Amino acid sequence: MKAALVGADGELLHQARRSTGRERGPDSVVESILAFAADLRAHGEEHLGEPAAAAGVAVPGIVDADRGIAAYAANLGWRDVPLRKLLSERLHGAPVALGHDVRTGGLAEGRIGAGQGADRFLFVPLGTGIAGAIGIDGRVEAGAHGFAGEIGHVVVRPGGAPCPCGQHGCLERYASAAAVSEAWAEASGDREADAADCAKAVDSGDPRARAVWQDAVDALADGLVTALTLLDPRVLIIGGGLAEAGETLFTPLRAAVERRVTFQKLPSIVPAALGDTAGCLGAGLLAWDLLATTPEVSAR
Ligand SMILES: [Zn+2]
């Protein structure tokens, strides 16, 4: 878990990290979050002169932000955790916003990170899987059921590799950091080799690595062109482990997207700027948004 005390302009006043303690079960994770937040509140009171006026929390899985409920998280074992209520109680009644981890990270990237306030953006982190956050006029679209932005499960290779979601040929089976790691381990014969090693081999001119890399870039471009055809974003922000390859990824990716568009306008394609602090900065922005939209809170 990453946490921070965040100033009004997105400034990081204090940062901390802790383990979730998930090996001790789902309830223990909830308690870890509550205790962490309470300690941050105390830190603000002691070192900054006042406790945080509001809190934001971003969690993985299926999130019902309106009701403040973490509905489902497979890796934490959660079902219907009323996180907003629990956290507000622990924080002496402070208002709390609950968000989805990728959408919340996307909010920060779009507003104060790589998007620099873009009115329309798409944030796509390439990690173990691939997710997405659709930014529209300063907020991130959740969809009717909380599933908007799941670009990782757009089919780009019909009849292709099976995906845990039940489909075949999903984008994340070809262009996630995990998929590239798997493909390069196979092609190089080194079971320990990962996506970062593949990028290095691409840079040194290894033809096998170039083939693996180009397959991923082409699949990613196919998925992104589908997205930009639907959404017409001004900026495409690419993050996650694979984006750490820098221009080794971005130069061929921009070319591959450009080759595919016909009438569509090309968005700028940029690397994410906030790294793994995007989620907690975004949670801070959610908290500040609460203060801005709740008159009785901002008057305190
Ligand atoms: Zn899938």
Side-chain angles (χ1 to χ4, degrees):
M1 299 188 287
K2 295 134 214 156
L5 291 168
V6 180
D9 51 359
E11 182 194 356
L12 280 168
L13 305 172
H14 171 70
Q15 280 190 86
R17 282 167 190 258
R18 273 185 202 176
S19 85
T20 54
R22 71 173 172 179
E23 66 283 355
R24 294 189 301 275
D27 294 341
S28 171
V29 176
V30 174
E31 180 50 37
S32 300
I33 292 170
L34 301 182
F36 199 3
D39 289 351
L40 249 81
R41 183 184 188 280
H43 182 96
E45 209 163 17
E46 194 175 328
H47 298 279
L48 302 171
E50 56 180 337
V57 58
V59 300
I62 302 169
V63 175
D64 185 339
D66 290 341
R67 291 165 60 224
I69 290 171
Y72 179 71
N75 56 351
L76 299 177
W78 283 358
R79 272 195 191 280
D80 295 325
V81 177
L83 202 54
R84 184 171 65 196
K85 180 172 161 280
L86 293 172
L87 198 53
S88 184
E89 281 166 8
R90 188 67 65 97
L91 295 176
H92 304 247
V96 172
L98 176 67
H100 174 263
D101 58 351
V102 173
R103 287 196 287 272
T104 304
L107 179 74
E109 283 290 354
R111 210 186 280 180
I112 59 176
Q116 298 185 321
D119 56 347
R120 296 284 188 287
F121 70 88
L122 179 66
F123 168 57
V124 181
L126 309 171
T128 312
I130 297 180
I134 301 165
I136 302 171
D137 280 339
R139 61 179 194 87
V140 174
E141 173 62 34
H145 311 93
F147 290 102
E150 291 288 357
I151 188 174
H153 301 284
V154 166
V155 173
V156 292
R157 298 289 178 265
C163 180
C165 79
Q167 266 288 5
H168 285 76
C170 291
L171 175 59
E172 74 171 36
R173 297 294 295 113
Y174 298 89
S176 60
V180 173
S181 294
E182 206 178 293
W184 179 234
E186 165 108 37
S188 66
D190 175 0
R191 280 193 299 176
E192 302 295 306
D194 65 11
D197 298 322
C198 186
K200 279 187 214 121
V202 169
D203 289 340
S204 63
D206 184 322
R208 293 168 310 165
R210 290 192 162 185
V212 165
W213 197 254
Q214 193 60 44
D215 282 350
V217 166
D218 283 331
L220 183 55
D222 286 335
L224 291 176
V225 168
T226 299
L228 71 88
T229 303
L230 281 172
L231 300 170
D232 186 22
R234 203 170 303 279
V235 187
L236 268 178
I237 306 166
I238 311 294
L242 209 60
E244 282 164 25
E247 286 308 311
T248 304
L249 175 67
F250 284 88
T251 301
L253 180 61
R254 289 186 190 107
V257 170
E258 212 168 326
R259 277 198 301 276
R260 284 162 173 78
V261 298
T262 53
F263 65 92
Q264 305 94 326
K265 293 286 179 203
L266 267 182
S268 52
I269 302 177
V270 299
L274 303 176
D276 70 355
T277 56
C280 78
L281 278 170
L285 294 176
L286 289 178
W288 277 106
D289 286 355
L290 265 188
L291 294 173
T293 56
T294 315
E296 65 271 28
V297 173
S298 50
R300 280 213 303 230

